[in-house]
Amino acid sequence: MVVNDVSKSFSSLIAVSNVSFSVHQGLTALLGPNGAGKSTVLRLLSGQIAPDSGSVWVAGGDPRKHASARSRIGLVPQQDGVFEHELALDVVRLAALLSQLDEPTQRARDALARVELDPDIDRPMGSFSKGMRQRVKIAQALVHEPSVLLLDEPLNGLDPRQRRQTIELFANLAAAGRTVLVSSHVLDEVERFGSDVIVIAQGRLAAQGDFHAIRELMDDRPTRVRVRCDQAALLAAELVANGAANGCSIESEHEVELRSSDASRLRRELVRVASTRGLRLNEVAPLDDDLESVFKYLVGP
């Protein structure tokens, strides 16, 4: 999968600008804040839209021009777009029929079982939870056994157990030789996908490579953290004294805001000091750890 100097605009909005990257077999995360251009990249890769300039090559061809390339792609869009009055089995079976598969009903049943949904659920999809609809979409994308999977925020709406199961499914598909590209705006979620990351910010490629190296770069930026514990002042005093925090603001007896230029060290020392002093940490909340601020730090104003 190769994206070469691709740009895409919608009227006056530049969604993607001069983006180039390649993705090989395995599991890769496409990381970026909401509105960064991730969905546009996935629509370009799946052949849903054409680039204004540059080229896209997926599964042996240009997905806009080569039907054989499109047939090897499985797409999970961010939008629901489900048939609310239909059964899940019928919806996935339709995807199998459109792919001209033999035994489409059995293939649909197998795909639903892979995402831990009962193929015999006898109620329309309009009554499904968000997580159930997400899993139906993943089953649709898997039913024709594609060599490339493009998944746009596929974990939205899933409970913690379903998230674990779904991440494990993606990892197994990647281990079996598939190319799996999963988009997310949740930094900690991406860490569970593996080490290969493409970072998109403001429609541009901000970084690509090993997640842990990129995370370390992100963690070098100034950080503010709110901590709630039973003796906030004692905790803050020790963290400032040993240099893990550059400063602090005592908000109340049980709450402190810490500032640090080394987020990794601050996290380690928080746990160590709390354990050593017998303090109970009730909350540790980064105040500027949203991805928007991370990417502003990475790519500048």
Side-chain angles (χ1 to χ4, degrees), residues 109-258:
R109 297 180 71 86
D110 292 344
L112 286 165
R114 291 178 82 176
V115 297
E116 295 192 344
L117 273 179
D118 182 357
D120 296 315
I121 296 177
D122 189 24
R123 54 190 176 94
M125 287 189 58
S127 68
F128 282 13
S129 67
K130 171 70 171 177
M132 293 174 71
R133 294 196 300 271
Q134 286 286 78
R135 286 184 283 161
V136 173
K137 289 194 297 182
I138 295 171
Q140 283 183 297
L142 290 175
V143 72
H144 64 296
E145 298 291 345
S147 59
V148 174
L149 272 169
L150 307 173
L151 306 113
D152 196 355
E153 303 277 0
L155 304 185
N156 282 353
L158 302 185
D159 64 33
R161 188 195 67 80
Q162 293 165 356
R163 283 173 178 251
R164 288 194 300 271
Q165 185 272 335
T166 304
I167 292 171
E168 183 179 349
L169 172 62
F170 298 158
N172 290 339
L173 290 166
R178 313 287 179 87
T179 301
V180 183
L181 182 63
V182 187
S183 84
S184 177
H185 67 280
V186 182
L187 195 62
D188 290 333
E189 186 173 274
V190 168
E191 188 168 15
R192 299 170 64 189
F193 291 144
S195 61
D196 293 328
V197 179
I198 296 168
V199 182
I200 298 290
Q202 301 170 3
R204 293 181 172 87
L205 181 70
Q208 179 176 9
D210 181 82
F211 171 84
H212 302 290
I214 295 171
R215 181 74 187 250
E216 287 177 5
L217 175 62
M218 292 175 178
D219 282 346
D220 285 341
R221 75 195 192 288
T223 299
R224 295 182 305 126
V225 178
R226 181 180 64 235
V227 179
R228 291 195 175 103
C229 72
D230 47 358
Q231 296 185 58
L234 175 62
L235 177 67
E238 184 152 345
L239 290 169
V240 171
N242 69 21
N246 302 122
C248 68
S249 299
I250 306 298
E251 305 296 329
S252 70
E253 180 183 355
H254 303 296
E255 181 177 331
V256 62
E257 179 184 310
L258 300 168

Side-chain angles (χ1 to χ4, degrees), residues 1-3 21-24 45 57-59 148-150 179-181:
M1 186 187 310
V2 178
V3 174
F21 62 82
S22 60
V23 178
H24 304 288
L45 288 169
W57 194 263
V58 181
V148 174
L149 272 169
L150 307 173
T179 301
V180 183
L181 182 63

